[in-house]
Amino acid sequence: MTRKKLILDVDTGTDDAVAIMLAALHPALDLVACTTVNGNAPVEYCTDNTLRVLDHIARSDIPVYEGAARPFVRADFPVPRAQNDLAGKIHGKTLPVPPTARRKADAGAVEFLIETYRNATEEITLVPVAPLTNIAAALTLDPKLAERIPEVVIMGGGHEIGNVTPAAEFNIWADPEAAGIVLAAGFRKLTLVPLDATHRALVSYADCQRLRALGTPAGAAAAEFIGHRIEVHDEIQKMAVAGTTPVHDAVCVGSLIDPAIITTRRHHVAVETSGALTVGRTVIDTHFRGGGAPQADVAFDADASRFLKILLETFARKPA
Ligand code: RIB
Ligand code: CA
């Protein structure tokens, strides 16, 4: 079976960590590298967390390239715009996995992305599950980059749901100008997995017990990360079902393994970059009013049982 190559762009955090483990352990995927960016935590913490998670599951062979430490244009994130520090509560700065002596790669994330796609001889899917600063910078530096990337699957945005404001989802809100550049780049195949989908693939405490019962490092870590997410969501951002949480970034990776996990419709998507109330909103033209050519397959639903099945099957595997 040909394994699907991918690069994960992450701001590791708890759900990024589950996505990384899924991409690194599933037999159908070949995680080429992780690139890190400022988002859930300052970028140096995201890099350290990514290295820790990969070492925890015995995948120290996967390199980590550090990227942008601040948004593409704005100087007002993480503070003062990050009023409620939602990310800080749901992710913290350092994840509860052992430290590692392993170092990040010498090259920067943007340089790595440009050079990798310039020299690629096989298709590599790009999966940004964080603010899109690195991707926008790479597209700006290399105008031919978009045509070299066969497929992009982004966790971000929201139509009926916002999480960091009523209008906006965190990854887009944290760097709206970058998101606008990425969504307008003209990728051949672009999938957007917004909160409207990830909030339908909720994971519960009982599911965490099943993950822990697997008796593997990945199962234990996933149970820990997801259990913490449930605690915080129950406290400050209760889901439709108490005692559950979305695991946003892992839904993206899961859809590469089982496309039926998400249900998509093709629409034009733009990003609001001004307006105190609406900055960072993904404007998804669901009724084709704006005249913009649909450029993204947008996920409006997700199958929680298919998603959980993949988590349990993948994290049951013993490290090679
Ligand atoms: O809004 C959810 C997204 O923001 C996820 O990628 C999470 O890790 C945070 O980055
Ligand atoms: Ca993330």
Side-chain angles (χ1 to χ4, degrees):
M1 169 177 60
T2 305
R3 296 164 68 201
K4 188 182 192 73
K5 291 185 179 293
L6 72 149
I7 294 170
L8 266 175
D9 189 68
V10 293
D11 58 336
T12 310
T14 49
D15 60 325
D16 308 71
V18 180
I20 290 166
M21 294 194 295
L22 192 54
L25 295 174
H26 195 281
L29 299 180
D30 177 2
L31 180 57
V32 172
C34 291
T35 53
T36 65
V37 66
N38 167 62
N40 288 323
V43 68
E44 58 272 20
Y45 287 96
C46 299
T47 303
D48 179 50
N49 286 331
T50 304
L51 289 163
R52 286 173 181 240
V53 168
L54 287 168
D55 287 12
H56 181 68
I57 59 170
R59 288 307 313 268
S60 308
D61 57 303
I62 297 173
V64 180
Y65 296 83
E66 187 164 284
R70 47 149 295 183
F72 205 58
V73 171
R74 295 162 185 268
D76 62 348
F77 176 75
V79 287
R81 263 191 312 136
Q83 299 89 338
N84 58 12
D85 193 24
L86 175 74
K89 295 184 178 76
I90 289 186
H91 303 283
K93 284 208 167 94
T94 300
L95 291 180
V97 277
T100 174
R102 188 159 71 102
R103 289 180 40 77
K104 64 186 178 183
D106 291 337
V110 176
E111 174 191 357
F112 164 75
L113 289 169
I114 291 170
E115 288 309 308
T116 297
Y117 282 105
R118 183 175 286 153
N119 301 318
T121 55
E122 296 178 87
E123 293 208 329
I124 305 173
T125 296
L126 180 59
V127 186
V129 292
L132 293 162
T133 316
N134 289 338
I135 317 307
L139 289 165
T140 303
L141 283 172
D142 179 1
K144 290 189 175 297
L145 180 61
E147 66 194 54
R148 294 188 178 122
I149 302 177
E151 178 185 27
V152 182
V153 183
I154 296 172
M155 191 282 133
H159 188 59
E160 291 183 5
I161 308 170
N163 58 6
V164 70
T165 74
E169 176 279 326
F170 178 83
N171 286 341
I172 308 299
W173 173 86
D175 194 342
E177 288 80 8
I181 289 168
V182 172
L183 289 171
F187 292 112
R188 274 175 274 162
K189 185 169 172 31
L190 172 61
T191 303
L192 184 70
V193 183
L195 298 177
D196 305 78
T198 63
H199 280 219
R200 286 176 168 79
L202 298 175
V203 181
S204 69
Y205 278 125
D207 300 329
C208 290
Q209 287 170 349
R210 294 172 66 189
L211 285 163
R212 191 176 302 283
L214 296 173
T216 60
E224 180 76 25
F225 298 149
I226 297 171
H228 174 72
R229 293 179 58 82
I230 296 172
E231 284 169 26
V232 175
H233 271 290
D234 275 356
E235 181 197 335
I236 61 171
Q237 214 175 62
K238 204 183 291 296
M239 291 291 108
V241 177
T244 66
T245 181
V247 191
H248 310 283
D249 300 342
V251 174
C252 265
V253 174
S255 73
L256 297 177
I257 298 163
D258 175 6
I261 282 179
I262 59 174
T263 304
T264 64
R265 300 196 309 264
R266 191 161 180 79
H267 292 294
H268 181 268
V269 185
V271 178
E272 176 60 84
T273 55
S274 62
L277 279 180
T278 55
V279 62
R281 179 165 181 74
T282 44
V283 181
I284 303 173
D285 191 357
T286 54
H287 288 71
F288 310 99
R289 291 286 189 275
Q295 90 277 29
D297 296 312
V298 182
F300 286 94
D301 199 358
D303 184 321
S305 57
R306 293 181 85 109
F307 173 56
L308 182 69
K309 180 172 181 289
I310 281 180
L311 292 184
L312 290 168
E313 286 174 355
T314 308
F315 295 163
R317 298 169 64 87
K318 306 297 182 205

